[in-house]
Amino acid sequence: MENFLLLGICFGLGLFFRRLPQFPESTPKVLNGFILFISLPSLVLYHVHELKVDVTSLLPSSMPWVVFGIAVVFFLGLYKLKFLKFHTAVCLVLTAGLGNTSFVGFPLLETYLGKESLGYGILADQLGTFMVLSFPGIILASIAMDGKWDLTTLVKRVLGFAPIYALFIAILTRQFPYPDAFKLVLLRLGDTLTPLALVSVGFMLDMRTIAGHGKVLALGLGFKLILAPIIVYWIYSPLKEDTLLFQTIVLESAMAPMVTSTVITIEKNISPHLASLMLGIGIPISFGTTYVLNFLLKGNYI
């Protein structure tokens, strides 16, 4: 419950700060800069360094790659058919194609399936969602930002993504234990990610823009909260015998859009108002849709 309370308070603060002259229009840019250069790298350094990897981890960590791949085909296919503009399609890939598998995902998993599911959830988040964002996600965002495919520029954009360096350092130092004090500092800095991101999105959230994004918003949330879990259920159905693993994978696929990918989408000016709506409206709706999905899974209705 404390996570949900934090979510509501931070969104509310973001909306409130928009009305105060002490917070200029550049406020989200400053907050996002801190997130991308301090908060997220700190989390990566800690969690990737501590992560235990084995063959079983490939199953839950593969799901975010599958969902992202389907989102690329689906939304960029609609762009090719001229149903969507390019920036709109990329925005939907980065928000509807990547799930909130940690901040919202972990407490919901614990509520629905118990603490035993969190191990699978962490694997889906760290080896799945974060890795997808770090490589194909950033590449796609960079192409949308520059408006063209240029390898030199693309490499510079990817190497300008600070968490990439944190990822490499975490992997290279896995055999060496971090001092306890250093781990504590990393966790404390990492803890700033969600509050700052939610304040930033709340600041950006303008409900008046729903009128201009209504159909596209429904399309994106429909894919993320309904279509993606259905497809994942079908693809991973051979794992039904391992009930906990299977239910964790399906529920993680049904989480709301990812906070960090939304921040990056906004930061790179890729349909920022649509991105903020996808997150701001998607998170509260996901509480209801995941509850229904969990009920159906446990009741063997699907």
Side-chain angles (χ1 to χ4, degrees):
M1 288 301 297
E2 61 269 19
N3 280 23
F4 303 145
L5 181 61
L6 176 66
L7 184 153
I9 289 174
C10 290
F11 266 127
L13 286 173
L15 292 168
F16 176 65
F17 290 161
R18 287 185 60 187
R19 301 175 178 273
L20 301 180
Q22 292 89 343
F23 293 87
E25 287 296 318
S26 60
T27 295
K29 189 172 183 66
V30 175
L31 295 177
N32 295 346
F34 187 92
I35 291 166
L36 296 178
F37 283 90
I38 303 295
S39 308
L40 185 55
S42 298
L43 284 179
V44 173
L45 280 171
Y46 179 83
H47 287 292
V48 174
H49 182 271
E50 301 293 312
L51 199 60
K52 302 294 185 292
V53 182
D54 55 29
V55 176
T56 307
S57 66
L58 296 176
L59 294 172
S61 61
S62 67
M63 180 274 294
W65 291 89
V66 170
V67 172
F68 186 81
I70 295 170
V72 168
V73 173
F74 183 73
F75 292 115
L76 292 185
L78 291 177
Y79 157 69
K80 286 293 185 181
L81 293 172
K82 302 188 184 303
F83 286 107
L84 295 174
K85 295 179 180 178
F86 182 62
H87 271 212
T88 300
V90 172
C91 174
L92 291 178
V93 170
L94 293 174
T95 52
L98 289 162
N100 199 323
T101 48
S102 55
F103 175 68
V104 173
F106 292 167
L108 286 181
L109 283 181
E110 186 173 358
T111 300
Y112 296 146
L113 303 178
K115 290 184 178 180
E116 297 80 9
S117 65
L118 292 180
Y120 293 137
I122 291 171
L123 290 169
D125 182 67
Q126 294 297 308
L127 293 181
T129 305
F130 173 73
M131 293 296 185
V132 175
L133 174 65
S134 298
F135 295 103
I138 287 299
I139 290 171
L140 182 60
S142 299
I143 292 172
M145 184 179 181
D146 297 322
K148 60 180 179 179
W149 174 278
D150 179 75
L151 184 59
T152 303
T153 303
L154 192 58
V155 170
K156 289 180 179 178
R157 295 287 189 199
V158 173
L159 293 180
F161 186 51
I164 289 291
Y165 297 98
L167 176 63
F168 290 150
I169 292 171
I171 292 173
L172 291 173
T173 59
R174 278 176 61 84
Q175 59 182 321
F176 307 108
Y178 286 163
D180 289 340
F182 183 58
K183 290 198 289 187
L184 180 61
V185 170
L186 291 177
L187 282 174
R188 291 290 173 84
L189 289 173
D191 284 343
T192 63
L193 187 149
T194 297
L196 291 181
L198 292 173
V199 170
S200 175
V201 171
F203 194 100
M204 282 285 301
L205 188 62
D206 186 351
M207 300 302 287
R208 294 171 298 180
T209 62
I210 290 182
H213 294 106
K215 292 181 180 179
V216 179
L217 179 65
L219 176 67
L221 291 180
F223 176 91
K224 184 70 200 76
L225 304 178
I226 300 174
L227 183 58
I230 291 174
I231 296 174
V232 167
Y233 179 93
W234 175 70
I235 292 175
Y236 289 85
S237 57
L239 301 176
K240 279 186 178 180
E241 292 300 318
D242 191 336
T243 305
L244 183 63
L245 173 62
F246 176 67
Q247 292 182 350
T248 301
I249 289 173
V250 175
L251 281 170
E252 280 282 57
S253 73
M255 296 302 167
M258 184 186 188
V259 171
T260 312
S261 67
T262 303
V263 168
I264 290 172
T265 306
I266 293 171
E267 177 70 12
K268 294 186 178 296
N269 199 33
I270 305 169
S271 297
H273 290 296
L274 174 60
S276 63
L277 288 170
M278 283 288 292
L279 183 67
I281 295 176
I283 288 179
I285 291 178
S286 71
F287 297 155
T289 55
T290 53
Y291 178 85
V292 172
L293 178 59
N294 178 62
F295 174 78
L296 294 174
L297 286 170
K298 288 187 173 179
N300 297 316
Y301 295 106
I302 57 176

